[in-house]
Amino acid sequence: MNNVQIESVMLPFGQKIVHDYINEYSKTAELYPYHPYEQESYERRLRWLSEHPHANRAALADGLLAWNTSVGNTHERVRENIEALRQPDTYAVVTGQQAGVLTGPLYTIHKAITALRMAEEQQKRLGVRVVPIFWIAGEDHDYEEANHVYVQTKGGDVEKQRLNHEAAGRTSVTHLVIPQDALHEYIDAFFAEQIETEFTGDLKAHLHTFAKESATLTDFFARTLVWLFGEAGLILIDSAAPFVRVLEQDGFAQVIRRNEELNEAVAVQGQKLTTLGYHRQVETERSSAQFFLYRNGERSGVERLVDGTFRTRDGAVYTEEELLTLLAHDPESFSANVVTRPLMQEWLLPVLAFVGGPGEVAYWGLYARMFAVFGLAMPPVVPRLSFSLLEGAVQKNMRKFDLSTHDVLTKLTEKRDAYLAAQDTLHLDEKFAEVKQQMKELYMPLIEEASGIEQGLRVLGEKNLDKILEQVDFYAKRSQSAFVKKHESSLRQFDRIRTALFPMDKPQERVYNIFGYLNKYGVEWFREFRSYPYDVTSEHLAVRVE
């Protein structure tokens, strides 16, 4: 790549289960059937898939073709990949994310890149067709998570920009109609905080076109992803699409009939997690039915009662047979939750591997026993690639302070403090401490002698000494403040590095949005970034961008 240079850095993982899964797999082997970075895992998974063929490939391909066409994903490679799914020897690397405005945080982009790379990698290694699929979790109703992005403003602050539209109730994002005016206003507000570049006009024009063609946030999200990844062959699927519900009917029927077994499996696996010393990422009650029903336009949770009936959050009660009848006549009334979504993916798609973020990797540790209940096998769960984008200004400041990539990603505060300490050639802190100690040593004998004259002079002398030392501390603080002010320009440069890489004290990829970078560096840069032949490993990738 001409414009992108890559450096690998090992970073710690925040969750113990993810660290052990990646670095000490044997500790987690009871939870995850496959090691994510051993090729034998994918060879074994391929054998299992070939022995358990998917029955609905033709209907799946028809549905995918129609839905992708509806959101403009008509690129030749996409059509070829969808058509390939009709064949029994084509498999998929699946990733996904809830639909978010302007594609949400950077990690959404990183998931798609990982799925593309992994599909390419495994197709070569296994000698079978492997296609990348992005699962849009359109049935989710967490609108507050999807309706905003954070931007670094022209003034250098980090600001939350929220879509000016309120959602009533628990409506799935796919079913939530967004006024086009709100989308257009949002696009303009986003770019109002960006520096005008040669790329700004084109980006805004594309996004405004997508807004005109979109009735929902899922539409807008999908069309934007198509523009960024369609030519690379990324297939999109909306979990709330009607054809998906039809193909999931048998899966929901099994979940209804074997609901108690499902929950028992999850509970037992949860106990195993705890026994092994891990935190349960997903807390779920044994009474949860692990699916939702759409009632009066809202997504309502369902619980299983002790008498075997099912009750929705709004109080409606169904027998098992009534639910099965509703499923047969109106499959779109049903919606998976965080527990049953992996099952639905498995029933629907020939999943060679699932790509997820650290949180997803952690909660998949609950599922292996659940898969087995239904005669399925949990796929390899692969941590998505993680990136930090090091822009030119950041690189310049790194060179100025002789900071390595490892330094800025793991110990920036320590390096900042060390730099400041190195500038203190007068060693003021030590000198003020010495002066205070000398004052004590000179004054205390005098207090002792004076107290021999009158005992009350001891208390007065000690108070007097405290006041003197307070004045020394005051002067020391003023001197330290002046010292810091003298070097505030350099300290601001350290702060700019932090704001670029750890906005709001979080990793860059969890906060910023890809369009801030597209505005500065253009779509051609992004194509190179997207297409680089990354190895799918656990190493963090620092990308130098000019």
Side-chain angles (χ1 to χ4, degrees):
M1 271 191 309
N2 297 325
N3 300 322
V4 186
Q5 299 86 43
I6 310 295
E7 184 177 351
S8 299
V9 181
M10 288 303 300
L11 297 183
F13 290 90
Q15 299 181 67
K16 185 175 185 293
I17 190 171
V18 180
H19 171 274
D20 289 352
Y21 176 53
I22 290 171
N23 297 297
E24 300 181 68
Y25 172 73
S26 61
K27 292 183 177 181
T28 64
E30 294 180 75
L31 308 174
Y32 302 94
Y34 300 100
H35 190 298
Y37 301 119
E38 290 183 358
Q39 185 57 29
E40 185 271 339
S41 295
Y42 304 99
E43 294 168 0
R44 185 155 49 94
R45 174 63 175 173
L46 181 62
R47 287 195 296 273
W48 191 92
L49 288 171
S50 64
E51 293 167 1
H52 298 80
H54 276 66
N56 294 319
R57 283 180 175 269
L60 171 65
D62 289 342
L64 286 174
L65 189 60
W67 192 84
N68 278 266
T69 299
S70 74
V71 295
N73 202 13
T74 56
H75 294 276
E76 183 178 356
R77 289 183 67 180
V78 171
R79 286 181 168 275
E80 290 175 353
N81 284 341
I82 292 174
E83 289 301 321
L85 281 169
R86 298 181 188 277
Q87 305 305 317
D89 58 347
T90 297
Y91 306 94
V93 173
V94 181
T95 191
Q97 183 65 31
Q98 181 179 358
V101 65
L102 297 184
T103 72
L106 283 165
Y107 61 69
T108 301
I109 301 299
H110 302 166
K111 284 181 173 181
I113 289 173
T114 310
L116 286 168
R117 277 299 304 134
M118 187 144 200
E120 293 171 2
E121 188 178 89
Q122 290 304 321
Q123 181 165 292
K124 290 178 182 176
R125 293 180 179 179
L126 296 173
V128 295
R129 187 69 175 267
V130 183
V131 301
I133 298 179
F134 193 101
W135 178 283
I136 302 172
E139 59 193 325
D140 285 4
H141 57 257
D142 191 356
Y143 177 66
E144 289 303 313
E145 181 181 324
N147 68 0
H148 66 275
V149 298
Y150 289 92
V151 297
Q152 189 170 356
T153 67
K154 292 175 181 177
D157 298 323
V158 180
E159 179 182 280
K160 182 178 183 179
Q161 290 193 334
R162 189 176 182 276
L163 188 63
N164 186 24
H165 177 72
E166 298 299 326
R170 297 161 62 87
T171 305
S172 292
V173 172
T174 288
H175 300 149
L176 180 63
V177 176
I178 305 290
Q180 288 188 354
D181 287 349
L183 288 175
H184 290 304
E185 288 171 9
Y186 190 88
I187 294 164
D188 289 337
F190 178 88
F191 283 97
E193 286 297 342
Q194 307 299 314
I195 298 170
E196 183 86 17
T197 70
E198 61 184 297
F199 309 114
T200 304
D202 187 58
L203 291 174
K204 288 178 67 175
H206 275 91
L207 289 171
H208 280 301
T209 298
F210 303 152
K212 289 177 184 177
E213 297 169 342
S214 301
T216 68
L217 193 54
T218 293
D219 289 344
F220 187 52
F221 177 82
R223 291 178 186 281
T224 308
L225 276 188
V226 167
W227 183 53
L228 295 173
F229 290 101
E231 65 182 1
L234 185 67
I235 301 170
L236 305 184
I237 182 171
D238 177 11
S239 64
F243 87 91
V244 171
R245 285 293 172 272
V246 172
L247 292 176
E248 289 175 344
Q249 277 178 297
D250 181 60
F252 274 110
Q254 293 193 54
V255 166
I256 293 167
R257 292 190 179 105
R258 307 183 69 177
N259 203 264
E260 191 169 355
E261 291 178 77
L262 183 161
N263 275 294
E264 178 66 17
V266 173
V268 171
Q269 192 83 346
Q271 291 167 359
K272 181 177 290 186
L273 268 171
T274 304
T275 301
L276 292 172
Y278 302 123
H279 170 70
R280 287 181 58 155
Q281 186 75 6
V282 176
E283 294 296 336
T284 178
E285 300 293 332
R286 285 177 184 256
S287 61
S288 172
Q290 309 300 355
F291 62 88
F292 295 87
L293 284 178
Y294 290 109
R295 289 178 48 80
N296 302 316
E298 293 199 8
R299 193 169 177 244
S300 183
V302 182
E303 63 176 336
R304 188 187 68 259
L305 304 180
V306 292
D307 64 0
T309 60
F310 295 81
R311 183 174 62 196
T312 63
R313 182 176 177 176
D314 60 355
V317 177
Y318 297 82
T319 65
E320 179 179 305
E321 286 307 314
E322 286 172 338
L323 279 179
L324 291 172
T325 299
L326 177 63
L327 176 65
H329 292 92
D330 187 14
E332 290 181 56
S333 294
F334 289 77
S335 175
N337 74 349
V338 68
V339 171
T340 48
R341 182 184 301 150
L343 290 174
M344 297 303 162
Q345 288 181 352
E346 187 68 16
W347 273 312
L348 190 67
L349 305 168
V351 183
L352 179 69
F354 173 78
V355 171
E360 291 164 304
V361 172
Y363 70 63
W364 273 70
L366 271 176
Y367 297 154
R369 186 178 294 267
M370 172 186 72
F371 273 77
V373 164
F374 296 98
L376 304 172
M378 191 172 102
V381 180
V382 185
R384 64 166 172 80
L385 290 169
S386 63
F387 297 87
S388 290
L389 301 178
L390 277 57
E391 298 182 80
V394 171
Q395 296 176 51
K396 180 180 178 180
N397 289 332
M398 288 170 63
R399 289 191 293 269
K400 176 177 178 178
F401 299 112
D402 194 27
L403 300 172
S404 68
T405 301
H406 190 268
D407 289 339
V408 296
L409 293 177
T410 64
K411 48 186 176 182
L412 185 59
T413 299
E414 180 184 327
K415 286 292 183 179
R416 177 188 184 276
D417 293 345
Y419 166 80
L420 195 60
Q423 310 314 305
D424 185 12
T425 55
L426 297 177
H427 305 292
L428 290 176
D429 286 346
E430 295 175 17
K431 288 182 177 179
F432 275 111
E434 289 173 8
V435 168
K436 288 174 66 176
Q437 184 60 34
Q438 289 170 3
M439 285 183 172
K440 290 178 184 178
E441 292 172 356
L442 288 170
Y443 212 57
M444 284 306 296
L446 183 58
I447 292 173
E448 289 291 334
E449 291 180 11
S451 65
I453 301 172
E454 181 183 322
Q455 187 60 35
L457 291 173
R458 174 183 295 278
V459 175
L460 182 61
E462 289 175 348
K463 288 183 178 179
N464 183 246
L465 177 58
D466 286 343
K467 289 183 180 296
I468 293 171
L469 295 178
E470 282 178 9
Q471 288 300 309
V472 175
D473 283 337
F474 173 76
Y475 189 56
K477 288 178 181 177
R478 289 295 296 270
S479 300
Q480 181 64 25
S481 177
F483 170 74
V484 171
K485 186 173 183 180
K486 179 181 178 181
H487 297 284
E488 65 181 356
S489 176
S490 293
L491 296 180
R492 277 199 302 269
Q493 290 167 333
F494 273 96
D495 291 342
R496 289 191 189 108
I497 295 175
R498 174 165 295 282
T499 302
L501 299 181
F502 296 97
M504 302 165 56
D505 292 325
K506 298 177 182 179
Q508 176 196 83
E509 61 186 3
R510 301 196 65 82
V511 177
Y512 290 144
N513 173 265
I514 190 61
F515 278 90
Y517 300 92
L518 289 170
N519 183 62
K520 295 177 185 177
Y521 308 109
V523 175
E524 286 305 314
W525 163 80
F526 176 77
R527 288 194 179 105
E528 293 190 45
F529 171 52
R530 178 196 71 197
S531 304
Y532 186 84
Y534 306 102
D535 291 328
V536 180
T537 71
S538 61
E539 294 182 320
H540 185 81
L541 302 175
V543 181
R544 293 178 180 262
V545 188
E546 298 290 353

